[in-house]
Amino acid sequence: MPETAAGETVGPDVDLIEHYYERGFSDGLPVAPPTPEKVAAMLEALGGGADTLECRVPPRWGSLTRETLAVNAVMAGCLPGYAPVVRAAIRALCDPHFNLNGVQATTHMASPLIVVNGPVRNEIGMNAGCNAFGSGNRANATIGRAVRLVLLNAGGAWPGELDKSTLGHPGKYTYCVAENEEISPWAPYHVEKGFAPEVSTVFAIAAEAPHSVTNHISDDPEGILESVCSAMSTIAHNNAVSSGSCAVVIGPEHAVTIASKGWTRHDVRSFLWMNTKNTFADVSFSHRYGKIYNRNLPRWYGREPEARIPIVPGPENIHLFVVGGEAGRFSAFIPGWGHMTNPVLRAIDDSEPASGPVCVDGTCML
């Protein structure tokens, strides 16, 4: 008789996929049956110790043991080699700075976005090129899906119960991508943040879906980035009304054009920050509904009607990545959830960044 990972024995005629639907362990898609053999292989990749507690996952604050993590990774379709990335992503999300409790339970559509850097991207075959945010790559899809299954099964954030998102978005199935370091003209994101190139990292941010930025004509940084600014400068996303952090994805063609003029990653972030601004009258609806709605904007923002206020408090709150295929002059803006959450970057091997900067202005020091 078949045995499930939970140790229960079921009849030979039981359809395990339907069985796990009935148990309520699915994200809505069929799961891979977590047989003892597959779970054991996943557990070995995590270092063994089935009862080892990795973290507790809000809002239900379920205890995520290595065995539970292994079961969810198997159900998502992960290979054992993906396990350390899934674990690092979950631990990043459970860092108190991220406020996973709020992200899981909010009425907003925010979902954790995971961006992977370092050698592990190629070791496990992640897609950082064509259609990186889309379908077709097992590592991207199943790592993101494993994260979601943990958030459901250990965190208890089931839609309509503890997950109160009004709309949600497709990233709540899977939202995981790798930076295209090989084609990027700049130092990788994690290197800029102080990690050595040979260290692999995961970056987690609560985010909306990507908003496409199209510019097929500009041959200078300003022209391309003004298009990005236009996508960022609206009053419809959380950054506009509650500050916080966001992500910007620069497509490879745009990145090459920008870098060919000598612009660094820091230059790009600074330009975006200086030029993505709304008037306070816009974001406050000219106080038509009272003054309380914008109480959480930073105190130093101007409150005069025509005061120009930034989308995020500083350039460092714009997290910039190069992702995508070589052809196509497209980039993307990915709004965040506002000041209620903070992005988290951590190494897969738990190492710490260097004590001093590894890169200056986005260019590696020799």
Side-chain angles (χ1 to χ4, degrees):
M1 290 187 178
E3 183 181 338
T4 69
E8 58 183 340
T9 300
V10 297
D13 297 328
V14 171
D15 184 325
L16 290 179
I17 291 177
E18 294 300 327
H19 176 73
Y20 276 88
Y21 268 126
E22 293 168 3
R23 292 290 303 274
F25 294 156
S26 170
D27 54 2
L29 295 171
V31 299
T35 62
E37 295 77 16
K38 289 185 176 181
V39 172
M42 195 69 68
L43 189 56
E44 182 179 358
L46 290 167
D51 295 329
T52 301
L53 181 65
E54 291 288 350
C55 54
R56 297 185 66 215
V57 186
R60 193 178 69 183
W61 296 101
S63 296
L64 184 68
T65 64
R66 283 187 183 168
E67 182 177 49
T68 302
L69 177 57
V71 168
N72 281 277
V74 169
M75 290 198 298
C78 290
L79 293 174
Y82 309 169
V85 181
V86 177
R87 171 169 56 192
I90 292 295
R91 293 180 68 180
L93 297 180
C94 290
D95 185 307
H97 293 285
F98 189 82
N99 183 20
L100 182 59
N101 186 68
V103 174
Q104 288 263 69
T106 180
T107 54
H108 191 255
M109 63 168 57
S111 178
L113 164 63
I114 306 299
V115 183
V116 182
N117 275 102
V120 74
R121 300 167 306 117
N122 295 326
E123 292 169 3
I124 64 176
M126 294 190 73
N127 178 22
C130 293
N131 201 43
F133 282 96
S135 58
N137 180 271
R138 182 173 183 174
N140 292 34
T142 61
I143 290 170
R145 189 186 184 199
V147 169
R148 175 52 54 186
L149 288 177
V150 168
L151 299 186
L152 291 168
N153 292 325
W158 292 98
E161 296 179 12
L162 295 179
D163 180 348
K164 298 298 185 181
S165 180
T166 305
L167 295 173
H169 75 78
K172 296 188 82 166
Y173 277 108
T174 179
Y175 207 10
C176 176
V177 73
E179 183 168 30
N180 198 335
E181 298 179 16
E182 288 73 22
I183 204 169
S184 172
W186 302 306
Y189 176 86
H190 72 305
V191 174
E192 184 190 32
K193 297 298 182 183
F195 286 98
E198 61 269 19
V199 173
S200 294
T201 63
V202 296
F203 169 81
I205 183 172
E208 297 179 17
H211 181 103
S212 177
V213 175
T214 303
N215 185 313
H216 293 288
I217 190 170
S218 297
D219 60 0
D220 59 343
E222 294 89 344
I224 293 170
L225 296 177
E226 283 167 2
S227 292
V228 179
C229 289
S230 71
M232 298 174 71
S233 298
T234 77
I235 64 170
H237 55 75
N238 261 29
N239 292 126
V241 296
S242 59
S243 199
S245 296
C246 65
V248 170
V249 170
I250 303 293
E253 274 206 54
H254 281 167
V256 169
T257 299
I258 294 167
S260 71
K261 305 299 184 183
W263 284 45
T264 67
R265 187 192 292 257
H266 178 70
D267 294 330
V268 173
R269 286 200 314 265
S270 297
F271 182 94
L272 293 176
W273 182 74
M274 289 188 68
N275 292 282
T276 52
K277 297 179 185 295
N278 296 314
T279 66
F280 186 73
D282 287 337
V283 299
S284 66
F285 296 92
S286 298
H287 296 315
R288 189 177 0 177
Y289 308 107
K291 298 184 178 182
I292 191 170
Y293 187 63
N294 299 101
R295 69 188 184 281
N296 290 316
L297 290 174
R299 293 184 182 88
W300 57 270
Y301 282 13
R303 260 57 177 185
E304 303 79 22
E306 297 308 311
R308 304 291 293 182
I309 62 172
I311 301 301
V312 292
E316 68 278 6
N317 301 116
I318 300 173
H319 299 273
L320 190 74
F321 301 90
V322 175
V323 177
E326 296 183 48
R329 297 180 65 78
F330 299 97
S331 294
F333 168 51
I334 306 179
W337 187 44
H339 74 282
M340 298 77 70
T341 179
N342 293 292
V344 174
L345 173 69
R346 67 174 297 138
I348 288 173
D349 64 3
D350 292 331
S351 62
E352 296 294 329
S355 57
V358 176
C359 288
V360 174
D361 260 2
T363 303
C364 285
M365 296 175 63
L366 299 178

